[in-house]
Amino acid sequence: MIQIARYSWIVMLAGLAIVVGLGMVGYGMMSGPPARSSLQVVEGTISEASRVTRRSRRTGTTSSYYEMTLKPRLSATELKLRVPTIEISESDVRSLIGGPVRAEFDSEQDVYVLSRGSREVLTYANTLERRNLNLRQYHVDGIALMIAGAVALAIGLLLGYRKRRREVADNASVVPR
């Protein structure tokens, strides 16, 4: 089996695809958004907000989020909080500027709950649903990559076996002088 794998690059690449797929499935299953009880809660005023769009050089994908500057009531230190643009509308962000807000966010300052007065502009349930959907996508993509890797592995083993068999037959037909 090892000698067959040596004769086929497809087998090596398929093995790598299976390992990466397993990693993606594991990441999708093991990680998840934090519990609401573990979120930091700060009340204050949002002084400014801007839309930030980043493009990954490696993958070419873009991500967009609102970065809001929150001035807490009890502290002089301003916080930069992030909310993905898909989770909140621009009009809601504008309505929050200058007024008292309550934000619940994680250690990376990603906002999960944002409320003004008694109105929750960004609810924990909706945020949790959106973030879990992203993690499920890792799981699905990992399974697809493992299936593609298994198919490539079968093809690579077949081609490697044929190549190895031909070389053994060619070496047997050569008569030493």
Side-chain angles (χ1 to χ4, degrees):
M1 190 73 135
I2 292 174
Q3 287 189 355
I4 292 172
R6 285 187 198 157
Y7 284 92
S8 179
W9 283 97
I10 295 173
V11 171
M12 291 180 210
L13 292 175
L16 180 64
I18 291 171
V19 168
V20 170
L22 279 171
M24 290 174 71
V25 167
Y27 177 76
M29 291 174 61
M30 301 270 186
S31 59
R36 188 166 185 174
S37 60
S38 68
L39 296 175
Q40 299 176 40
V41 179
V42 174
E43 292 184 8
T45 305
I46 293 183
S47 58
E48 64 179 319
S50 61
R51 184 178 179 145
V52 179
T53 302
R54 299 201 179 217
R55 184 173 180 86
S56 171
R57 290 181 186 166
R58 187 171 45 99
T59 61
T61 59
T62 59
S63 62
S64 185
Y65 59 90
Y66 291 107
E67 185 174 79
M68 295 177 261
T69 304
L70 179 73
K71 173 85 169 101
R73 287 185 191 164
L74 305 174
S75 171
T77 319
E78 292 184 338
L79 297 170
K80 296 280 188 181
L81 302 176
R82 291 187 306 261
V83 179
T85 55
I86 198 164
E87 294 177 7
I88 191 169
S89 69
E90 186 175 345
S91 61
D92 284 338
V93 172
R94 286 183 186 171
S95 72
L96 295 171
I97 297 175
V101 296
R102 181 175 185 264
E104 296 179 35
F105 55 93
D106 64 6
S107 60
E108 297 174 1
Q109 297 181 332
D110 287 329
V111 177
Y112 284 80
V113 179
L114 199 56
S115 56
R116 181 170 185 170
S118 62
R119 179 179 169 248
E120 280 192 349
V121 177
L122 184 64
T123 65
Y124 183 74
N126 289 343
T127 303
L128 195 63
E129 182 180 334
R130 173 70 63 189
R131 309 255 169 115
N132 280 330
L133 184 63
N134 290 341
L135 289 173
R136 276 182 279 191
Q137 191 61 46
Y138 272 102
H139 184 80
V140 170
D141 290 347
I143 289 174
L145 189 58
M146 288 190 318
I147 290 170
V151 169
L153 181 67
I155 292 170
L157 286 173
L158 178 66
L159 294 175
Y161 174 74
R162 287 180 51 198
K163 185 175 181 181
R164 172 83 175 130
R165 200 173 75 200
R166 259 186 269 130
E167 282 188 6
V168 169
D170 289 344
N171 288 339
S173 65
V174 174
V175 179
R177 291 185 190 192

